Amino acid sequence: SGKTTSCTKLAYYYKKKGWKVGLVCADTFRAGAFDQLKQNATKAKIPFYGSYTESDPAVIAEDGVRQFREQKFEIIIVDTSGRHKQEAALFQEMQMVAKVSAPDEVIFVMDSSIGQAARLQAEAFQEAVDVGSVIITKLDGHAKGGGALSAVAATKSPI
């Protein structure tokens, strides 16, 4: 749905505003996720953390966040695996990542093409973690932007 790209774009935005930003790749599910984040972060000149060997995303998130906090980074963005509302184990994983990284903000990233199904997905996320905002990707490719309104309504978050 564009989570990794969105993380990099958000990091780049804050970097351009003068913040010290780091990216953590805690997506151990999707093959190539760390490579993608590494390539994007390198191109944008944003420090990043990830692992080719650690399979537990909570461990990676905890280690990466700790490293960046020790180096006095002001904004740390943790990229996690995509998940569907019926994947209970992945929601438990997301809760563990949130617990160890203690985020100030949880952003629900959704693909605009899911349309009205966004509401159920957003509600499932909101039940698992405290969603603070929503990023909608790929709005340029679909006429299903109405799902954005459903996601915002379900999470009571700004868009």
Side-chain angles (χ1 to χ4, degrees), residues 28-107:
T28 58
F29 185 75
R30 184 172 59 90
F34 182 41
D35 287 327
Q36 181 187 357
L37 184 132
K38 187 170 150 182
Q39 182 179 11
N40 290 350
T42 300
K43 185 176 179 181
K45 295 182 172 60
I46 298 166
F48 61 90
Y49 181 89
S51 174
Y52 285 113
T53 57
E54 178 57 60
S55 61
D56 185 340
V59 170
I60 295 170
E62 185 174 31
D63 291 348
V65 168
R66 182 184 323 107
Q67 175 182 305
F68 284 132
R69 281 186 178 151
E70 287 170 359
Q71 296 173 19
K72 307 292 186 221
F73 276 69
E74 299 160 305
I75 297 175
I76 304 163
I77 299 171
V78 180
D79 181 23
T80 62
S81 302
R83 55 206 83 230
H84 188 272
K85 67 183 179 67
Q86 288 145 342
E87 298 168 318
L90 288 176
F91 273 85
Q92 290 172 340
E93 174 186 286
M94 181 175 63
Q95 289 171 319
M96 286 304 301
V97 168
K99 182 179 177 184
V100 301
S101 59
D104 293 317
E105 176 90 1
V106 174
I107 301 172

